[in-house]
């Protein structure tokens, strides 16, 4: 179709001026020792989880009762549990589940949470009232209680736990995005976009969304840690994964009765959980320091 | 190995410090021959906080542990299953089995001064049978109760609509204990907080989830002959506290927070036994062993060969050894070995034989065609759906079942559920497998599980012959005839492979060496604290 506009579109000789801060400011992050340590740990964890079958000779599910509650040794690096299963290989396979839970739960939370926040902040009025009230209802419950109720409603099982933990953290995204949208949409370039005749969807997704994404990314990182911890808590309570699944929360729970005689059964998954959550939080903090304009020098 | 040693020596050091720090726990020889001394306060740990503690209304076994000392029963049951006089000095049963006549003691008063007499018995039984009471257990234990007649002040006749053999067994339990009619009328629905019986201890205070306190009844002078002494109890006071988390029980004993705690985890029991300051009183519980009910109406367990294969594929010795250690015997049938009427013929049936299990599954048409280790038939994988409750080591047992069955090509899909959810799933028949056990001293309890109309018919069995036998067992009075019938029933249940028996329930009570003469009643759950005294050697 021929161009019917009267004025020629200026060709791009210069890169467009960016009102948006760059998403990742590498120099800042690279100098953040904590964040880098967290990142290194997480990369190693992901590799270990992916390569689990090559790193350990034991199947995480095979029971050998005759071999129960062996202390850590060069055969079993983290000992064996009540059923004679190798705790170390269960830790590696457990990392797969925990990482998966973290990423999926946060995806479930972040996408609808961000969308709702965009709509509420952009349109205000009755749409905002409805969305905000709904979110406030969700927020009235403590996260873990809300997740517990959702699991009670849907039934136990890992998919339901992921869904529950995800739903429980939708409100934080909605609120964060809504308030950012309220600020951004009053800026000149949005008005300009509207005057030029951009459709709402274009303004929302091409102009507003990139401008509110930075804090969402920070929240996502921190939220992964929260999701892993909460999913483990639900599994610890016996509401999540199926019997025998090497999930860290379940492993913690299984070892609880043997703390005196075989502390390694609980300590190993507890330590992994702590380190993983710590690593993600350090990385999240680092990201916030480098992304959040308010925190930058 | 080295790490274990370090941990052990650290624990040992801690313990020896603990022992030197508290002179109340000296080197004690477990069998102190000294004469009982009166006085002292016993702290008894309960393992579950019951929602209600009125024995006529509520069903929990946990309420019976304290309240057995508050109430006397008309008859008592010895460990051999004989019935001996309690509040009733003698009794006659009519030839048709419909009328029981009880002659009562004349020297008994309730803790509130109300005299105990025939009217009181009538009042109690009528209260239990009254639908308004909403009794969860006692009313069922009364069976086809019709009414009571007061013959004279100390003679009472109890009438039944049909013969009911387990009546004396029911009467010997705290759920049919005799409560003061005055107090029942005065407090109404709030009676559970103000209970009044005739027993050796009086109800003082109950703070739900926290503690329940009993004090000695100084006027008690009507102890049944099965006890060691007469007159008031030795202990001044008993406080019951709650230790719900199994992992904390042995620690609480070692810290001196309780003298007795039930249901000590096996691994902790082994450690306590090595410590001279404690002993383990292991009480085998009559009733059902821990067992898996197999649904006979849902594929694949609707096929007898599959059910039998699951039995053959189960290595019970390995399960018991790994989880319950040397404390629990392997179970072979629907009743535990200490239950009256237990049939020894079931012992050794379906002994672990994975080769036989594979044969049976092959015969039933289940073959592993795609090489994934799990058998298939007509495109269906051989999967059993298990509903698991979280108590009583059920998840642990199921974990081992799962891996044992995988060896023969059976997959287990499990769901952990709360008790009500398990009941619902079982009612709808969504399960292939549910693990459960119920305590009880009369084999009539099988009627509640294997009768086609039973509430807990989790095997979904519908066998008119079995129904008739179960009904007959409840009716017959002759103990030898009953025994024969129950022997038959047990064999039938195993023939049809309705259950996988796993282990006989043994309650491991951790007891301070200070506690003397602690015995348990025929139910195994309820302690006789009347004879108990605390030794103070080394004070």
């Amino acid at each position: 179709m021929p161009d019917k506009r009267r004025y020629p579109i200026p060709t791009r000789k210069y890169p467009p001026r960016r009102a948006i801060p760059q998403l990742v400011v590498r120099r800042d992050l690279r100098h953040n020792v904590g964040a880098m340590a967290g990142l290194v740990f997480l990369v190693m964890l992901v590799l270990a989880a992916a390569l689990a079958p090559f790193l350990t000779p034991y199947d995480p599910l095979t029971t050998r009762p005759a071999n129960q509650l062996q202390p850590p040794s060069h055969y079993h690096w983290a000992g064996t549990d009540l059923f004679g299963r190798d705790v170390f290989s269960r830790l590696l396979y457990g990392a797969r589940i925990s990482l998966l839970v973290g990423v999926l739960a946060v995806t479930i939370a972040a996408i609808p949470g961000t969308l709702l926040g965009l709509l509420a902040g952009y349109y205000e009025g009755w749409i905002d009232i409805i969305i905000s009230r709904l979110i406030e209802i969700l927020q009235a419950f403590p996260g873990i209680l809300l997740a517990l109720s959702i699991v009670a409603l849907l039934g136990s099982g890992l998919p339901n736990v992921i869904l529950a933990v995800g739903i429980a953290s939708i409100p934080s995204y909605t609120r964060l995005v809504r308030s950012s949208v309220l600020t951004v949409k009053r800026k000149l370039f949005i008005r300009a976009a509207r005057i030029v005749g951009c459709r709402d969807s274009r303004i929302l997704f091409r102009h507003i969304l990139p401008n509110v994404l930075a804090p969402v990314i920070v929240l996502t990182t921190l939220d992964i840690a929260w999701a892993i911890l909460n999913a483990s808590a639900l599994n610890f309570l016996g509401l999540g994964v199926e019997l025998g699944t090497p999930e860290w929360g379940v492993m913690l729970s299984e070892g609880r009765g043997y703390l005196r005689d075989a502390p390694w059964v609980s300590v190993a998954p507890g330590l992994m959980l702590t380190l993983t959550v710590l690593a993600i939080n350090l990385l999240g903090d680092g990201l916030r320091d480098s992304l959040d304009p308010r925190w930058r020098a | 190995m080295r790490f274990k040693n370090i941990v052990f020596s650290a624990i040992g050091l801690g313990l020896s410090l603990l022992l030197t720090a508290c002179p109340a726990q000296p080197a004690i020889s477990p069998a102190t021959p000294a004469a009982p001394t009166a006085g002292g306060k016993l702290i008894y740990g309960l393992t579950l906080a019951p929602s209600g503690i009125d024995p006529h209304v509520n069903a929990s076994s946990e309420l019976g542990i304290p309240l057995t000392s508050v109430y006397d029963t008309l008859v008592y049951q010895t460990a051999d299953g004989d019935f001996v006089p309690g509040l009733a000095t003698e009794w006659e049963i009519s030839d048709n089995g419909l009328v029981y006549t009880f002659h009562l003691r004349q020297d008994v008063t309730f803790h509130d001064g109300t005299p105990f007499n025939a009217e009181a018995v009538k009042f109690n039984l009528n209260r239990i049978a009254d639908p308004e009471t909403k009794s969860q257990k006692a009313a069922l234990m009364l069976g086809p109760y019709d009414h009571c007649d007061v013959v004279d002040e100390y003679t009472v006749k109890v009438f039944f609509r049909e013969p009911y053999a387990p009546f004396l067994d029911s009467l010997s339990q705290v759920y049919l204990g005799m409560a003061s009619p005055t107090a029942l009328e005065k407090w109404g629905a709030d009676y559970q907080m103000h209970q009044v019986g005739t027993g050796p201890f009086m109800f003082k205070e109950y703070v739900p989830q926290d503690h329940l306190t009993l004090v000695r009844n100084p006027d008690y002078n009507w102890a049944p002959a099965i006890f060691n002494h007469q007159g008031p109890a030795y202990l001044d006071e008993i406080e019951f506290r709650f230790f719900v988390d199994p992992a904390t029980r042995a620690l609480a004993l070692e810290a001196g927070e309780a003298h007795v705690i039930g249901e000590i985890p096996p691994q902790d029991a082994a450690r306590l036994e090595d410590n001279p300051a404690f002993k383990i009183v292991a009480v085998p519980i009559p009733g059902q062993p821990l067992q898996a009910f197999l649904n006979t109406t849902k594929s694949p367990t609707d096929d007898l060969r599959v059910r039998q294969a699951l039995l053959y594929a189960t290595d019970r010795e390995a399960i018991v050894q790994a989880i319950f250690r040397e404390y629990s015997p392997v179970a072979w049938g629907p009743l535990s070995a200490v239950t009256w009427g237990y049939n020894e013929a079931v012992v050794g049936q379906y002994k672990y034989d994975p080769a036989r299990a594979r044969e049976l599954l092959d015969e039933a048409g289940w073959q592993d065609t795609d090489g994934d280790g799990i058998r298939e038939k007509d495109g269906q994988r051989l999967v059993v759906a298990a509903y698991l409750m979280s108590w009583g080591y059920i998840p642990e047992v199921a974990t081992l079942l799962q891996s044992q069955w995988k060896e023969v090509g059976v997959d287990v899909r499990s769901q952990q559920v709360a008790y009500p959810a398990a009941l619902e799933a079982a009612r709808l028949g969504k399960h292939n497998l549910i693990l459960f056990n119920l305590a009880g001293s009369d084999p009539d309890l099988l009627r509640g599980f294997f009768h086609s109309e039973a509430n807990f018919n989790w095997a979904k069995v519908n066998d008119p012959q079995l129904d008739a036998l179960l009904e007959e067992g409840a009716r017959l009075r002759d103990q030898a005839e009953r025994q024969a019938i129950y022997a038959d029933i047990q064999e039938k249940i195993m023939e049809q492979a309705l259950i996988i028996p796993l282990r006989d329930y043994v309650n491991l009570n951790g007891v301070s060496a200070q506690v003397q003469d602690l015995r348990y009643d025929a139910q195994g759950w309820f302690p006789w604290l009347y004879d108990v005294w605390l030794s103070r050697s080394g004070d």
Side-chain angles (χ1 to χ4, degrees):
Chain A
M1 198 185 275
D3 191 351
K4 288 186 179 167
R5 271 182 279 196
R6 269 189 215 172
Y7 307 104
I9 302 165
T11 46
R12 280 191 181 176
K13 278 182 186 161
Y14 310 100
R17 268 182 63 104
R18 299 188 67 136
I20 320 163
Q22 233 181 320
L23 273 183
V24 177
V25 183
R26 284 165 195 235
R27 272 173 74 182
D28 281 8
L29 198 60
R30 230 186 273 169
H31 287 129
N32 187 330
V33 178
M36 287 324 287
L39 188 65
V40 168
F41 179 86
L42 288 174
V43 168
M44 277 169 54
L45 189 69
V46 170
L47 284 177
L51 303 175
F54 305 102
L55 294 176
T56 161
Y58 301 102
D59 181 89
L61 297 178
T62 308
T63 62
R64 282 184 301 161
N67 207 16
Q68 68 175 189
L69 302 179
Q70 296 288 314
S73 63
H74 61 282
Y75 297 112
H76 299 285
W77 290 1
T80 64
D81 66 6
L82 177 67
F83 309 104
R85 299 176 298 205
D86 181 54
V87 174
F88 181 69
S89 43
R90 289 178 67 75
L91 283 180
L92 295 186
Y93 284 90
R96 292 179 170 186
I97 297 177
S98 286
L99 292 173
L100 188 75
V101 167
V103 171
L104 284 183
V106 165
T107 313
I108 288 174
I111 293 176
T114 306
L115 279 178
L116 286 173
L118 280 174
L119 293 177
Y122 185 69
Y123 290 109
E124 300 190 51
W126 61 269
I127 294 181
D128 182 30
I129 291 173
I130 292 175
I131 292 176
S132 294
R133 291 304 91 77
L134 281 175
I135 291 304
E136 277 159 20
I137 291 173
L138 279 182
Q139 263 199 325
F141 300 97
I144 184 77
L145 182 68
L146 186 61
L148 260 175
S149 329
I150 295 171
V151 171
L153 210 68
L154 299 177
S156 56
L158 193 59
N160 289 345
V161 164
I162 295 176
L163 196 63
V165 171
I167 292 175
S169 47
I170 287 179
S172 44
Y173 291 92
T174 307
R175 286 176 62 110
L176 180 74
V177 171
R178 176 180 172 273
S179 60
S180 311
V181 171
L182 285 176
T183 334
V184 171
K185 77 171 194 180
R186 285 180 174 75
K187 295 224 166 122
L188 204 57
F189 71 96
I190 300 293
R191 268 195 243 168
R194 201 172 292 144
I195 290 165
V196 171
C198 288
R199 276 172 288 117
D200 280 0
S201 57
R202 189 179 167 86
I203 296 179
L204 268 174
F205 293 107
R206 296 296 288 274
H207 297 283
I208 296 184
L209 187 61
N211 280 289
V212 299
L213 219 47
V216 170
I217 288 171
V218 174
L219 183 62
T220 313
T221 331
L222 296 174
D223 223 26
I224 288 178
W226 187 88
I228 290 177
L229 210 55
N230 273 282
S232 283
L234 291 176
N235 286 319
F236 180 87
L237 297 172
L239 295 168
V241 295
E242 270 201 38
L243 206 66
T245 315
E247 199 277 340
W248 292 345
V250 173
M251 292 170 71
L252 263 178
S253 163
E254 283 172 346
R256 205 165 44 112
Y258 303 87
L259 272 180
R260 292 277 289 272
D261 307 314
W264 51 87
V265 183
S266 278
V267 168
L271 210 60
M272 284 304 279
L273 207 49
T274 313
L275 289 176
T276 309
V277 170
L278 184 69
I280 296 175
N281 276 330
L282 284 173
L283 184 63
D285 275 352
L287 276 177
R288 189 191 56 198
D289 290 353
S290 54
L291 287 180
D292 192 331
R294 279 167 300 180
W295 281 78
R296 280 194 296 180
Chain B
M1 223 48 221
R2 204 127 145 243
F3 180 60
K4 195 175 179 183
N5 287 341
I6 293 169
V7 171
F8 275 165
S9 39
I11 291 171
L13 186 69
L15 271 181
S16 47
L17 284 175
L18 199 79
L19 287 175
T20 40
C22 59
Q25 312 232 314
I28 304 161
S29 57
T32 316
T37 47
K41 173 175 168 180
L42 180 82
I43 301 173
Y44 197 111
L46 300 177
T47 56
L48 190 141
S51 49
I53 59 160
D54 184 334
H56 293 173
V57 178
N58 301 110
S60 122
S61 339
E62 224 58 24
L63 72 84
I65 295 174
L67 296 176
T68 293
S69 297
V70 173
Y71 295 99
D72 288 321
T73 48
L74 290 187
V75 300
Y76 279 76
Q77 189 175 175
T78 65
D80 305 329
D82 295 328
F83 295 99
V84 296
L87 291 176
T89 50
E90 51 191 67
W91 55 90
E92 296 107 40
I93 307 171
S94 68
D95 286 337
N96 60 10
L98 293 175
V99 188
Y100 287 67
T101 310
F102 293 96
H103 303 278
L104 307 175
R105 285 188 78 115
Q106 308 192 355
D107 55 349
V108 179
T109 48
F110 287 100
H111 303 148
D112 61 359
T114 312
F116 169 75
N117 52 27
E119 282 294 344
V121 175
K122 181 178 173 183
F123 192 97
N124 272 279
L125 295 184
N126 283 344
R127 174 184 190 236
I128 292 166
D130 185 354
E132 291 271 292
T133 307
K134 295 200 175 70
S135 169
Q136 296 157 11
K137 178 161 183 165
L140 295 174
M141 292 171 70
L142 261 185
Y145 168 80
D146 194 70
H147 71 284
C148 250
D149 270 355
V150 173
V151 180
D152 60 42
E153 190 167 7
Y154 296 108
T155 313
V156 62
K157 276 186 195 295
V158 182
F159 292 82
F160 285 88
R161 295 189 298 275
E162 286 167 46
Y164 180 56
F167 183 50
L168 288 180
D169 176 71
S170 301
L171 264 193
S172 72
Q173 297 185 39
V174 63
Y175 304 99
L176 268 62
M178 291 296 132
S180 160
T182 321
L184 285 172
E185 280 193 323
K186 179 174 169 196
W187 297 107
D190 206 23
Y191 172 74
Q192 65 160 334
M193 307 303 279
H194 308 274
Q195 305 195 33
V196 178
T198 63
F201 289 91
M202 303 190 290
F203 191 93
K204 185 179 162 200
E205 183 186 37
Y206 173 46
V207 179
Q209 320 273 333
D210 193 70
H211 70 274
L212 191 160
T213 315
L214 307 181
V215 292
R216 173 165 50 197
N217 174 7
D219 302 325
Y220 192 71
N221 201 22
W222 45 86
I226 46 166
F227 287 113
N228 294 346
H229 80 289
Q230 290 293 311
Y234 296 125
L235 297 166
D236 292 334
E237 195 177 327
I238 310 171
E239 184 178 321
F240 295 87
R241 291 188 194 155
F242 300 98
F243 297 92
V244 178
D245 184 354
T248 63
R249 291 177 198 149
L251 289 169
L253 273 176
E254 283 162 339
E257 287 169 31
H259 293 100
V260 186
I261 301 183
E263 293 187 83
I264 298 285
Q267 70 279 7
D268 291 334
R271 195 179 65 243
L272 285 178
E273 261 188 332
D274 292 338
N275 185 338
F278 299 99
K279 53 196 170 188
I280 291 293
V281 178
V283 186
I285 305 287
Q288 295 176 314
L290 179 63
Q291 60 197 312
F293 288 85
L294 299 171
N295 185 347
T296 56
T297 57
K298 184 180 152 86
S299 172
T301 46
D302 55 345
D303 187 330
L304 175 66
R305 291 166 297 190
V306 172
R307 296 201 299 275
Q308 289 178 329
L310 292 180
L311 271 152
Y312 280 120
T314 305
D315 185 355
R316 293 173 244 198
E317 270 98 357
I319 293 176
V320 169
Q321 187 50 42
I323 300 169
F324 305 105
R325 313 278 164 102
E326 62 275 27
Y327 296 104
S328 289
V330 165
W332 297 101
L335 290 177
S336 64
V338 293
T339 317
W340 181 87
Y342 171 71
N343 181 2
E344 275 185 17
V346 297
V347 174
Q349 282 184 11
Y350 302 106
K351 218 170 165 30
Y352 179 52
D353 186 351
R356 180 88 188 98
R358 286 190 193 99
E359 258 171 53
L360 281 162
L361 290 173
D362 287 343
E363 265 175 49
W366 294 94
Q367 303 277 352
D368 183 15
T369 45
D370 58 6
D372 67 346
I374 301 300
R375 292 164 187 265
E376 299 88 24
K377 181 163 106 176
D378 310 330
Q380 228 23 54
R381 291 177 88 237
L382 183 46
V383 178
V384 284
Y387 283 78
L388 310 172
M389 285 159 271
S390 58
W391 38 263
Y393 295 95
I394 286 175
E396 282 87 348
V397 169
T399 303
L400 286 179
L401 283 180
Q402 185 182 41
S403 67
Q404 289 177 358
W405 292 353
K406 209 171 175 194
E407 300 285 307
V408 300
V410 181
D411 196 12
V412 177
R413 286 275 104 126
S414 64
Q415 251 197 68
Q416 286 204 41
V417 287
Y419 180 60
L423 286 186
E424 182 63 9
R427 198 178 59 78
L428 299 173
K430 290 202 279 188
H431 67 293
N432 288 116
L433 186 94
I434 285 190
L435 283 99
F436 194 72
N437 69 298
L438 187 75
S441 43
D442 193 286
D444 183 41
L445 76 97
L446 294 177
R447 196 158 47 102
F449 290 87
F450 298 103
H451 193 284
S452 57
E453 286 165 17
N455 276 337
F456 296 93
N457 180 6
W458 290 336
K460 302 281 170 191
V461 55
N462 190 351
D463 177 355
Q465 231 187 331
L466 195 56
D467 284 0
L469 282 171
L470 287 163
E471 286 163 20
E472 186 81 350
R475 255 201 310 269
L476 282 177
R477 257 188 61 209
D478 185 87
Q479 292 295 75
E481 284 177 50
R482 283 192 85 200
Q483 195 146 20
I485 283 186
Y486 284 113
D488 213 11
I489 290 171
Q490 290 167 65
E491 278 172 42
K492 282 220 150 47
I493 290 171
M494 293 319 295
E495 239 164 58
Q496 299 179 31
L498 302 179
I499 55 166
I500 302 173
L502 292 157
R503 69 121 181 178
D504 283 4
Y505 204 101
V506 175
N507 185 8
L508 301 175
N509 297 284
V511 182
S512 152
Q514 263 188 298
V515 177
Q516 308 299 328
D517 291 341
L518 174 64
R519 286 189 295 162
Y520 286 81
D521 79 342
Q523 307 303 317
W525 278 115
F526 308 133
W528 281 341
L529 299 174
Y530 170 63
D531 279 335
V532 168
W533 55 285
L534 297 174
S535 72
R536 286 160 215 220
S537 46
D539 247 7

